[in-house]
Amino acid sequence: MQPDRLLITGGAGFIGSNFVNYWIARHPGHRVVVLDALPYAGNPANLHAVRDLPQFRFVHGEIQNEALVEKLLREESINCIVHFAAESHVDRSILAPDLFLATNVMGTHSLLKVARKVWLDSGSGTPHRFHHVSTDEVYGSLDLTAPAFIESSPYQPSSPYAASKAASDHLVRAYGHTYGLDVTISNCSNNYGPFHYPEKLIPLMIVNILQGLPLPVYGAGGNVRDWLYVEDHCRGIELALQRGRSGETYNLGGNSERANLDLVRTLCREVDALLDADAGLGSRFPDAPVHHDGSAESLIQFVADRPGHDLRYAIDASKAAAELGFVPRHNLESGLRNTVAWYLENESWWRDLMGRNYQDWMHAQYAGRSPARNGG
């Protein structure tokens, strides 16, 4: 499959927007249509680099709007859907699971129904691909010494978010098996990088260090996650679209497992070093501890653990390496340096988000039940 007319759902979100920017840069002759409802974590500013290009189109709308999706597939002659649109914050799913079921399960089903209608029931037989972007959280939790997840690992989701993604995975497979829809699925480990909404662990720690605010860490900080730089994830999806076999699932991981506390301490040292090396940053971020003869690690605060907090996720990406040629190009150290540098260079981006959406969950953070996603 060589897609050249793509519909990207959730393309104004973190991973989706990175993929849109990545794809257009590498495939400038391809048509890219983004469909995004712009919930709290969807941000048109993430697409500023491509928004005026003639091959790009943005549509504000819901994936559950089947008439709209059908209209887009037909008038744009779409031959590939890359489905990012999802509610993805574990803590929000614990507090309000209904939205996760509506978006992640019923929304995915709406897309599948329309894809089947346009590409199969009334289609011309044109090659197509429905690629579903999922998560390693569907597999549940691992012991610290257990082998990493492989594609055939049993699904044991622990949170409403993970359960909703597991359900959507099963729906995608069912439409491939039952109706013959050309589908692929990728299950990724925790992503990080530019445009990451600052309620998740890595961006939250960065912006809080810069402001001298507490760094909330769940429990004792021993929960372990594998981290995948978002550009590597985008390349993995590109390879799945181009080389992936219909009906197959590919695990995409970063080969970078870290305990949450170790990750936070690494971030503290990285931010401290960058701030200390550039005197000009002192005027921009005067509350950062390094400007007061302190260390960002002094801001770490341990908070009550999250209900049902999975101990460890780990991805075995050997199948993707063998079949797709996928190997991460960024280790955690280089990826974190790039990420911290991006947040330093794009202060207006995250300041704007904080002004619009930040205060509600910051209040919860200081109340001792941080909504920050400590690594998934």
Side-chain angles (χ1 to χ4, degrees):
M1 176 64 186
Q2 296 296 327
D4 60 2
R5 304 187 68 84
L6 286 71
L7 176 66
I8 313 296
T9 70
F14 163 45
I15 305 176
S17 63
N18 273 280
F19 181 78
V20 170
N21 293 325
Y22 174 90
W23 190 273
I24 289 178
R26 289 179 56 86
H27 307 278
H30 292 184
R31 179 67 164 166
V32 173
V33 180
V34 166
L35 176 63
D36 201 301
L38 297 180
Y40 76 96
N43 188 353
N46 297 357
L47 301 168
H48 72 277
V50 300
R51 63 189 176 194
D52 296 325
L53 296 177
Q55 68 268 41
F56 174 77
R57 177 183 177 187
F58 177 83
V59 179
H60 183 199
E62 300 276 353
I63 57 174
Q64 294 95 326
N65 186 340
E66 295 178 19
L68 173 60
V69 175
E70 180 177 351
K71 179 174 182 288
L72 291 175
L73 292 187
R74 293 191 187 280
E75 72 182 17
E76 295 283 356
S77 300
I78 297 296
N79 58 17
C80 179
I81 295 173
V82 187
H83 179 33
F84 292 96
E87 295 291 335
S88 65
H89 193 261
V90 173
D91 298 274
R92 291 179 185 267
S93 82
I94 293 170
L95 296 173
D98 288 7
L99 177 61
F100 286 72
L101 296 176
T103 300
N104 299 354
V105 182
M106 298 311 298
T108 299
H109 189 223
S110 293
L111 288 173
L112 288 165
K113 285 193 294 180
V114 176
R116 176 194 172 197
K117 178 180 179 181
V118 173
W119 287 336
L120 298 179
D121 295 349
S122 60
S124 62
T126 300
H128 62 270
R129 173 61 56 86
F130 186 109
H131 183 80
H132 178 57
V133 181
S134 191
T135 171
D136 59 1
E137 297 189 39
V138 299
Y139 299 121
S141 184
L142 287 171
D143 292 334
L144 293 178
T145 59
F149 299 127
I150 60 175
E151 287 78 2
S152 59
S153 294
Y155 275 28
Q156 298 181 359
S158 302
S159 69
Y161 160 63
S164 69
K165 291 297 290 184
S168 64
D169 289 4
H170 291 318
L171 281 170
V172 172
R173 289 194 187 93
Y175 266 71
H177 180 78
T178 302
Y179 302 114
L181 198 68
D182 185 340
V183 302
T184 46
I185 298 172
S186 56
N187 294 85
C188 68
S189 54
N190 282 42
N191 278 221
Y192 67 102
F195 301 116
H196 203 177
Y197 191 82
E199 69 184 349
K200 302 296 181 78
L201 177 62
I202 287 176
L204 178 68
M205 297 299 133
I206 295 171
V207 301
N208 277 15
I209 292 170
L210 295 176
Q211 299 172 97
L213 297 175
L215 308 180
V217 175
Y218 278 141
N223 301 76
V224 176
R225 300 295 182 262
D226 175 45
W227 293 94
L228 176 64
Y229 190 60
V230 67
E231 183 181 276
D232 282 327
H233 187 194
C234 293
R235 190 165 48 81
I237 295 172
E238 176 188 40
L239 291 168
L241 294 178
Q242 295 173 335
R243 305 178 187 177
R245 292 182 290 129
S246 181
E248 291 296 318
T249 295
Y250 298 96
N251 282 351
L252 303 175
N255 300 325
S256 295
E257 286 189 61
R258 293 292 190 283
N260 288 339
L261 182 57
D262 293 338
L263 178 71
V264 171
R265 286 173 170 161
T266 299
L267 272 173
C268 287
R269 292 190 293 270
E270 187 66 35
V271 177
D272 282 351
L274 287 173
L275 293 179
D276 191 48
D278 187 344
L281 293 174
S283 60
R284 288 174 54 197
F285 306 108
D287 296 319
V290 72
H291 299 310
H292 305 279
D293 298 321
S295 165
E297 289 193 37
S298 66
L299 300 173
I300 293 173
Q301 292 186 2
F302 297 98
V303 299
D305 209 350
R306 179 171 70 200
H309 196 180
D310 289 339
L311 175 62
R312 173 176 170 247
Y313 305 139
I315 282 285
D316 181 339
S318 57
K319 177 181 176 180
E323 293 193 15
L324 308 180
F326 170 76
V327 177
R329 293 175 178 171
H330 296 270
N331 60 30
L332 187 60
E333 288 69 29
S334 67
L336 287 179
R337 282 194 296 273
N338 290 347
T339 302
V340 172
W342 189 89
Y343 278 85
L344 288 171
E345 294 167 4
N346 292 272
E347 181 182 359
S348 61
W349 180 87
W350 54 266
R351 290 282 189 193
D352 180 60
L353 287 181
M354 290 170 59
R356 290 189 286 122
N357 303 304
Y358 191 78
Q359 296 304 322
D360 59 339
W361 50 269
M362 281 298 288
H363 173 74
Q365 171 178 307
Y366 293 131
R369 56 173 187 84
S370 167
R373 181 184 176 192
N374 278 201

